[in-house]
Amino acid sequence: GAGVSQSPRYKVAKRGQDVALRCDPISGHVSLFWYQQALGQGPEFLTYFQNEAQLDKSGLPSDRFFAERPEGSVSTLKIQRTQQEDSAVYLCASSLFDLAGSYEQYFGPGTRLTVT
Amino acid sequence: KQEVTQIPAALSVPEGENLVLNCSFTDSAIYNLQWFRQDPGKGLTSLLLIQSSQREQTSGRLNASLDKSSGRSTLYIAASQPGDSATYLCAVFSTGGKLIFGQGTELSVKP
């Protein structure tokens, strides 16, 4: 079946603009994760959804970052008033089961955000 | 706080060599560990998932081991090929299911 998809693949924003990044997880996957990957670094956790419930948002770097998954499938990561330090690749991952970190996560291709 | 470290940061080998990538983590109370491959400009491809109760997993030319007591995992690649050139990431599952990643090992296999 189809894997995790993300759109857009590339986004250039001027500093101060708002952006919205979309993630379509694998159908039927309960868990959805967002990660941020700076150049030359490993991904870092941002937030986690179990169905439509956002259970962990401890990794969001500031209140300019907001994520939602209103119907328990597609998720959107929104960044308000973008700053240059927000430039990174934003990765979405989904997993079949919930909790406990026991199940394999499948990643999308990512959205590369460049803030000028 | 869980920290994951990968050594070396970069590695260049001639085609055909067997090689080992290292991953260490500070908190041995992990659930599972997952190895990924990342090609330039692409997302992450899962290679192997080792359950916390397992000591190793194999897939083709890849073998990953896990020693929770010492906080270490290794990824062994046999008979390396130029197509293996990529960045390899190790990640441990933390509470709540999130992955804690190392910084990766950039592998280059020369023909």
Side-chain angles (χ1 to χ4, degrees):
Chain A
V4 178
S5 61
Q6 293 185 245
S7 61
R9 291 293 314 280
Y10 304 91
K11 177 69 179 178
V12 178
K14 292 186 176 179
R15 189 173 58 183
Q17 284 185 331
D18 297 348
V19 298
L21 312 180
R22 177 187 170 106
C23 173
D24 284 81
I26 294 173
S27 178
H29 277 197
V30 170
S31 298
L32 186 146
F33 301 82
W34 283 99
Y35 295 86
Q36 180 190 58
Q37 186 175 25
L39 188 64
Q41 304 294 315
E44 293 191 355
F45 170 80
L46 293 177
T47 187
Y48 161 60
F49 289 86
Q50 180 184 323
N51 295 308
E52 70 278 2
Q54 188 175 21
L55 299 187
D56 187 346
K57 53 182 181 179
S58 62
L60 295 177
S62 76
D63 58 8
R64 296 186 295 105
F65 287 71
F66 172 78
E68 59 183 5
R69 193 186 185 197
E71 297 179 358
S73 56
V74 171
S75 177
T76 303
L77 175 66
K78 297 179 180 178
I79 309 174
Q80 297 177 324
R81 305 180 303 281
T82 52
Q83 303 294 316
Q84 284 193 319
E85 61 263 28
D86 299 335
S87 296
V89 175
Y90 291 84
L91 295 164
C92 174
S94 70
S95 178
L96 184 57
F97 293 109
D98 57 1
L99 300 179
S102 299
Y103 299 99
E104 192 167 3
Q105 293 185 20
Y106 298 87
F107 281 77
T111 294
R112 181 177 297 277
L113 173 65
T114 303
V115 181
T116 61
Chain B
K1 177 185 173 185
Q2 178 74 270
E3 293 183 3
V4 180
T5 302
Q6 291 187 247
I7 296 173
L11 181 64
S12 181
V13 300
E15 181 177 6
E17 272 204 8
N18 302 324
L19 57 99
V20 174
L21 307 181
N22 296 293
C23 172
S24 61
F25 43 94
T26 54
D27 185 351
S28 61
I30 66 169
Y31 291 99
N32 302 316
L33 185 144
Q34 195 167 355
W35 281 93
F36 294 89
R37 167 185 174 139
Q38 186 172 33
D39 293 281
K42 301 294 178 69
L44 277 62
T45 300
S46 179
L47 298 174
L48 290 164
L49 170 69
I50 309 177
Q51 305 279 351
S52 60
S53 58
Q54 297 175 317
R55 294 192 64 85
E56 66 178 310
Q57 275 282 8
T58 298
S59 176
R61 294 183 294 109
L62 305 179
N63 175 276
S65 67
L66 175 63
D67 184 344
K68 286 180 59 177
S69 62
S70 66
R72 292 182 180 181
S73 177
T74 61
L75 179 66
Y76 175 82
I77 303 177
S80 58
Q81 302 171 358
D84 294 331
S85 298
T87 296
Y88 290 80
L89 291 156
C90 159
V92 300
F93 281 78
S94 184
T95 53
K98 60 188 170 189
L99 290 170
I100 309 296
F101 284 86
Q103 291 191 324
T105 293
E106 186 175 357
L107 173 65
S108 176
V109 181
K110 304 295 186 184

